[in-house]
Amino acid sequence: MERDTEGVRGFEDFGADVFTLDKMENKLDRRHFESLLATLHGGAALEFETADAVAAAMMDWAIERGADRYTHWFLPLTGSTAEKRSSFLETDIKSGLPILEFSGKALIKGEADGSSLPSGGLRATFEARGYTTWDCTSPAFIKRDADGSGCLCIPTAFCAYDGAALDAKTPLLRSMEAINRQALRVLRHLGETEVRRVVPTVGGEQEYFLIDKQNFLRRKDLMYTGRTLFGLPPAKGQELSDRYYAATPHRVLNFMHELNGELGRMGVPCKTEHNEVAPSQYEFAPIFESANLAVDHNQLTMEMMRRIADRHNLTCLLHEKPFAGVNGSGKHNNWSLLCDNGINLLKPGKDERGYRRFLTFLIAVIAAVDEYAPALRMSCASIGNEHRLGGNEAPPQIISIFLGDALQDELERFCTGSEISIHQKERMSIGVSTMAELFRDDTDRNRTSPFAFTGNKFEFRMAGSSQSLGLPNTVLNTIVAESLSKIADALDAGVQLQKVLCRTYRNHERIVFNGNNYDKNWAQEAKRRKLPLVDNTVDAIRCMAEPKNTQLFVRHGVMSQEEIFAQTEIALQNYATAGKIEAMTMLKIARQSILPACVRYSATLSSSLSCAKEAQVFCEAQRTLLTRLNKAMSECLTATDELEGCLKDSVLTAETVRDVLTERMTALRNAVDRLESMTDKSVWPLPSYGEMLFSVI
Ligand code: ADP
Ligand code: MG
C-alpha cells in the first residue's frame, strides 16, 4: 500500500528548507524556468538573465523562510565542507539606504580567499584567488542555526584561478558525465533508444559512535585526533554480539529523532537507523539519490550528527577507528546506474532483453573493478581508515567482488554459450505453517567482501566513516565508464555482444570471490590469482599518480594531470600532518598527565611500603607493585623520549610517518596501556574504554 506523507507525523516538514524545482517554478516566469530546465536536463550553459531571475527567486524564498544570509557551500579537499556567510544586505547607491539584494552574478560565482585551503601546489599562497561556482544540479537549502535563524546554502564547485578543480565535487560531476556518455553508447547497441540520461545512484550508509560529552572532553586524544591513542580494552566488549540491532538507548533515540527531523527539513531522506556491533556504535542509512546529491547529503549528515549530538550532551565520533580492539566505522557506498526512464541497469530484467542488459552492465563493473582495483583502494586511503581496513571487521585490503554462487553460475553458463535463462527464485520453508511462504534471495549476504553485489546494486564497503564519498564515486564512475567504452568500441566495430561480454568476463573473472575474505587462505589464493595487494595507505595514495590511472582520468575528462598530482600531494600531506599531530598529542598526554599520575601512585605505594616496614609487617605486595610500576614508568619515559627524538630528528614525510613514527607510537601506547593495567583507577587521568563505551546505555 502507498500513501502520501501529508499529515503524517515526522514528515510535515520534509524538504521544507530546500529550494526545489517546483518551488522555483512557482517563483519564476515560464521563460526563465524553461531556460533553467534546459541547463539542468540538457546541459545548456546557464544564461545570465536566467541566473538573475533565479537569484531573486532564491532570495525571496530564503527571506520568507527566515534566512537573511547566504553562502556558497563547497567541499574543499579537507574532507569537510566550507562556507563563508554573507548578508543579503547592500547599500542603495542613490539613496544610501539599506536594501536586500542577491544578483545572478553572486549566485553563479563567488570568490573564496582560498589560500588557506589545500591546493596541493596548484597555487602558491600569494595567489590566493579561488572561485566557487553554482552547481545547479544540487538544490540550494537552508541550514538552521540553534536560534532557528538560517543561512541559504548554495552548493558550489571550488576551483583555482586557472579553473583547476580543488574540491571533491567537480571531478565527481565530470565522472557522472563520463559514465552517462559511455552508458548511452552501450544502451544504443542494446536497442534501448528511448533512454536519454544515465545517472549513478548512491546510498551511503554511515556508521558512527556516540559517547558522553563529559568523557570526550577529558580525552585530549579524541579531541585533537578523533581517536583514542591510549587505552586498555574493557573486560566486556562486543564478544556477545548483544548490541547489533538491540533496542537503542532513549538518549540516543532522542538524538536520532532530532537528526531525522533536521535532515528531513533539508531534504535528506533518512531511511534506517540501528545499533551496530560495537558498544555505543550506530548506523544511519538514507534513501539513495543521484551520486552528486548523495555526496552532498552525506556531508550534511555528518555535520548535523556532530552538532545535534552536542545538543544532547553527547559527542559523535566519525573517526574510522576511535577505539583500538573495537570495531571501527565505515561508510558503505551502495552504487547503481539509473536511466531516466526508471530502469536500474544493475537489476536483473524480467525478460530476455532486460536480462541481457543487466549482464552487460554487470560484466562492465566486474571488468572495471579488476582492471582498476588499486585506484579504488586509493579512493579510500586515509590515515584513519588505515587502522580499520584489514582488521577482521572491515573489508581486507585486497579488492575482490562477491557475486554469490547463483549469479556466478549464470555468468558461467552465459559464457559457455547457453541461452539466457531467467532465474526463478526458490521457495523456502521456515517450518511453521502460520508463517508466510518466503522466496529465497538469489544471493546470500557476504559481509566480508569489499565489493558485494546485493541484488540490484553494488555495495563498496571500503570507504571510511569520516571521508567524503566524492572520490570513491568519482573513481567508480570513471572506471566503469572506461570498461563501458571498451565494450561500446567493440560493438561499434561489429563484434557480437555475446562474444564481447564473454571475452570481457573471462579476462576479469579472477576478481570474483564468494568465500570468506577474512580467511587466511584468501590472501594466498589472491596472490595466486595475481590480484594486487596494496597493504599501506601511502602506497595506496601514490597509486593515483601512476600513468595507467592518470591516463584514465585524463581520457575521460575527469581530472587533469595537474589535478591528480595536486590531489595526491594533498592526501600525502594530510597523512603526514595527521601522523605528526597524533604523535604530539601522545607526547603531551604521556608527559603531562600519565607520568605525573603514575608518580603520584608510586608515592602512595612508597609511603605504604615505608609504613609497613616501620611497623615490621609483611610488605612484599607493596614492594612488588612498586617495583613493577617503577619499571613500567621508566619504560614509558624511554618510549616518550624516543618518540620525541623521532619528531625532532626527521623531516616528517608520509613515508617517515609510516616507517618510523608509527612504530614509536605503538611502543609508547603499549607502555602507557601497561601502566593503566597496574595503576589505581582513581588516579588514572583518562576515562577508560569501559567508561566511554558503556556509559550511554
Ligand atoms: P544493508 O545494511 O543491509 O546493506 P540498508 O537498507 O541499511 O542495507 O542500506 C541499503 C542502502 O542501499 C540504502 O542507503 C539504500 O537507499 C541503498 N540503495 C538501494 N537501492 C539502491 C540503488 N539502486 N542505488 C544505490 N543505492 C541503493
Ligand atoms: Mg549495507
Side-chain angles (χ1 to χ4, degrees):
M1 193 197 86
E2 285 176 8
R3 61 164 290 176
D4 59 30
T5 55
E6 203 167 318
V8 180
R9 186 168 174 251
F11 290 101
E12 304 89 347
D13 267 356
F14 187 84
D17 278 343
V18 189
F19 194 47
T20 49
L21 264 187
D22 47 331
K23 288 176 197 157
M24 224 181 286
E25 188 173 11
N26 281 338
K27 286 204 175 277
L28 285 178
D29 67 39
R30 197 80 235 139
R31 189 167 56 91
H32 289 133
F33 186 65
E34 273 165 15
S35 151
L36 181 69
L37 287 185
T39 302
L40 274 177
H41 301 315
L46 190 72
E47 288 171 20
F48 272 112
E49 215 186 297
T50 308
D52 265 334
V54 173
M58 253 187 206
M59 179 179 78
D60 209 32
W61 171 79
I63 288 173
E64 275 167 23
R65 304 258 336 138
D68 58 352
R69 282 147 292 147
Y70 72 92
T71 179
H72 278 194
W73 184 83
F74 58 103
L75 315 177
L77 295 169
T78 53
S80 45
T81 59
E83 57 186 49
K84 176 185 160 200
R85 298 176 169 207
S86 308
S87 165
F88 289 122
L89 187 71
E90 297 287 343
T91 309
D92 184 42
I93 301 174
K94 283 194 198 127
S95 63
L97 294 173
I99 49 164
L100 299 176
E101 191 182 23
F102 187 44
S103 67
K105 209 168 132 221
L107 164 68
I108 293 178
K109 189 174 126 200
E111 201 187 311
D113 171 12
S115 60
S116 299
L117 292 164
S119 74
L122 271 180
R123 214 178 25 183
T125 313
F126 63 91
E127 298 164 323
R129 247 185 243 274
Y131 294 114
T132 50
T133 44
W134 183 36
D135 165 23
C136 57
T137 61
S138 181
F141 59 92
I142 294 172
K143 205 161 75 178
R144 300 269 161 204
D145 298 335
D147 64 0
S149 70
C151 178
L152 174 71
C153 295
I154 300 158
T156 51
F158 176 52
C159 63
Y161 186 62
D162 62 358
L166 288 175
D167 66 350
K169 184 187 270 280
T170 312
L172 176 66
L173 289 173
R174 294 176 186 154
S175 75
M176 288 172 71
E177 288 188 10
I179 199 165
N180 173 53
R181 271 193 302 274
Q182 303 305 334
L184 286 178
R185 283 181 67 201
V186 171
L187 284 172
R188 296 286 174 264
H189 280 285
L190 300 180
E192 307 282 354
T193 45
E194 74 284 14
V195 179
R196 280 173 305 131
R197 194 156 186 86
V198 176
V199 175
T201 49
V202 170
E205 298 163 54
Q206 175 74 48
E207 292 178 332
Y208 61 100
F209 281 83
L210 279 181
I211 63 165
D212 194 284
K213 188 174 160 190
Q214 298 318 311
N215 282 331
F216 171 78
L217 292 175
R218 290 176 54 211
R219 297 277 324 205
K220 291 279 181 298
D221 46 2
L222 281 179
M223 286 172 73
Y224 295 148
T225 73
R227 73 179 179 112
T228 52
L229 299 166
F230 302 113
L232 276 182
K236 175 183 186 286
Q238 60 197 46
E239 308 83 347
L240 295 173
S241 300
D242 53 350
R243 292 269 316 155
Y244 190 54
Y245 282 8
T248 304
H250 271 171
R251 222 171 131 192
V252 175
L253 282 174
N254 289 344
F255 156 86
M256 287 176 172
H257 294 164
E258 193 172 333
L259 178 70
N260 290 345
E262 293 244 358
L263 285 176
R265 234 188 359 236
M266 292 190 283
V268 182
C270 314
K271 180 75 173 168
T272 58
E273 56 210 7
H274 61 80
N275 273 24
E276 258 301 330
V277 173
S280 289
Q281 193 186 27
Y282 307 92
E283 184 186 293
F284 165 95
I287 298 175
F288 67 92
E289 303 175 278
S290 108
N292 180 33
L293 212 52
V295 169
D296 281 358
H297 281 171
N298 176 256
Q299 213 72 47
L300 260 185
T301 302
M302 291 193 287
E303 186 180 331
M304 295 318 287
M305 278 177 166
R306 286 203 174 100
R307 282 191 189 205
I308 293 171
D310 196 63
R311 286 185 215 153
H312 291 260
N313 220 2
L314 296 164
T315 298
C316 174
L317 306 177
L318 289 168
H319 193 281
E320 285 74 14
K321 194 78 178 173
F323 304 99
V326 175
N327 270 10
S329 301
K331 186 135 55 187
H332 293 172
N333 190 78
N334 293 275
W335 181 93
S336 190
L337 289 171
L338 183 68
C339 303
D340 59 348
N341 63 355
I343 293 175
N344 173 353
L345 293 173
L346 289 175
K347 185 172 177 183
K350 288 209 166 62
D351 53 16
E352 202 178 317
R353 175 170 142 179
Y355 210 77
R356 183 167 288 122
R357 188 180 59 217
F358 160 68
L359 289 181
T360 306
F361 282 85
L362 180 76
I363 289 173
V365 176
I366 293 172
V369 173
D370 182 44
E371 192 68 39
Y372 290 101
L376 270 180
R377 165 78 180 83
M378 173 281 296
S379 75
C380 302
S382 72
I383 194 162
N385 217 9
E386 178 168 76
H387 300 284
R388 170 179 165 262
L389 295 179
N392 274 5
E393 38 138 334
Q397 316 193 54
I398 307 168
I399 295 206
S400 63
I401 296 183
F402 170 82
L403 290 181
D405 293 335
L407 190 51
Q408 195 179 7
D409 289 349
E410 262 171 71
L411 281 171
E412 198 54 44
R413 270 200 305 278
F414 177 71
C415 288
T416 48
S418 310
E419 283 295 294
I420 286 182
S421 64
I422 311 295
H423 192 75
Q424 295 298 331
K425 283 194 176 176
E426 223 179 286
R427 281 171 197 278
M428 155 183 153
S429 163
I430 298 186
V432 180
S433 59
T434 50
M435 287 194 170
E437 200 170 35
L438 300 179
F439 288 94
R440 194 188 303 282
D441 284 309
D442 290 340
T443 56
D444 191 4
R445 284 170 173 264
N446 178 326
R447 289 284 178 197
T448 67
S449 175
F451 203 94
F453 183 67
T454 53
N456 60 359
K457 61 185 187 302
F458 275 99
E459 186 174 352
F460 181 37
R461 304 203 179 106
M462 251 184 180
S465 47
S466 68
Q467 78 172 96
S468 157
L469 282 178
L471 191 56
N473 285 298
T474 301
V475 172
L476 204 43
N477 295 340
T478 313
I479 64 178
V480 177
E482 169 71 6
S483 59
L484 287 171
S485 84
K486 286 202 177 129
I487 292 174
D489 287 348
L491 295 173
D492 285 350
V495 188
Q496 192 209 1
L497 178 70
Q498 161 102 7
K499 207 164 171 191
V500 179
L501 294 184
C502 293
R503 194 172 60 199
T504 311
Y505 180 64
R506 285 286 175 243
N507 284 342
H508 297 288
E509 65 184 323
R510 63 169 187 165
I511 194 81
V512 178
F513 177 64
N514 295 331
N516 177 3
N517 292 64
Y518 299 162
D519 194 329
K520 284 198 182 63
N521 296 330
W522 166 232
Q524 288 298 319
E525 168 65 13
K527 205 167 171 186
R528 199 188 55 72
R529 295 187 190 187
K530 299 201 171 53
L531 293 178
L533 164 61
V534 188
D535 69 356
N536 71 85
T537 307
V538 179
D539 287 349
I541 294 170
R542 290 204 183 278
C543 288
M544 174 79 150
E546 280 171 10
K548 179 174 171 179
N549 295 327
T550 350
Q551 284 156 14
L552 168 82
F553 288 107
V554 171
R555 189 157 57 244
H556 289 277
V558 173
M559 277 189 266
S560 67
Q561 191 114 7
E562 293 73 33
E563 287 169 345
I564 294 170
F565 287 146
Q567 286 236 10
T568 307
E569 203 44 49
I570 291 168
L572 291 169
Q573 192 65 55
N574 282 347
Y575 182 91
T577 310
K580 184 175 172 194
I581 293 172
E582 288 190 350
M584 305 229 298
T585 306
M586 285 186 106
L587 281 180
K588 271 200 186 313
I589 297 176
R591 285 210 195 288
Q592 297 176 353
S593 300
I594 307 282
L595 285 167
C598 293
V599 168
R600 284 197 296 279
Y601 179 50
S602 164
T604 310
L605 282 175
S606 303
S607 71
S608 167
L609 180 61
S610 312
C611 295
K613 266 191 192 157
E614 211 168 297
Q616 295 187 340
V617 294
F618 187 71
C619 55
E620 268 321 289
Q622 285 93 325
R623 190 188 310 278
T624 310
L625 287 175
L626 185 60
T627 310
R628 282 186 194 159
L629 180 72
N630 287 353
K631 186 160 175 281
M633 277 165 57
S634 149
E635 282 162 8
C636 179
L637 186 62
T638 308
T640 311
D641 290 342
E642 283 179 0
L643 180 60
E644 191 162 45
C646 179
L647 275 179
K648 273 199 193 123
D649 297 345
S650 35
V651 181
L652 282 187
T653 60
E655 275 78 5
T656 48
V657 168
R658 175 192 64 189
D659 300 334
V660 189
L661 202 67
T662 309
E663 205 177 302
R664 301 274 167 93
M665 285 167 64
T666 308
L668 179 53
R669 176 175 190 138
N670 291 340
V672 169
D673 289 357
R674 215 162 29 246
L675 280 172
E676 184 184 350
S677 74
M678 57 178 76
T679 302
D680 177 357
K681 192 160 173 35
S682 64
V683 299
W684 193 253
L686 306 174
S688 67
Y689 267 35
E691 282 161 327
M692 285 185 284
L693 290 168
F694 288 95
S695 62
V696 183
I697 48 168

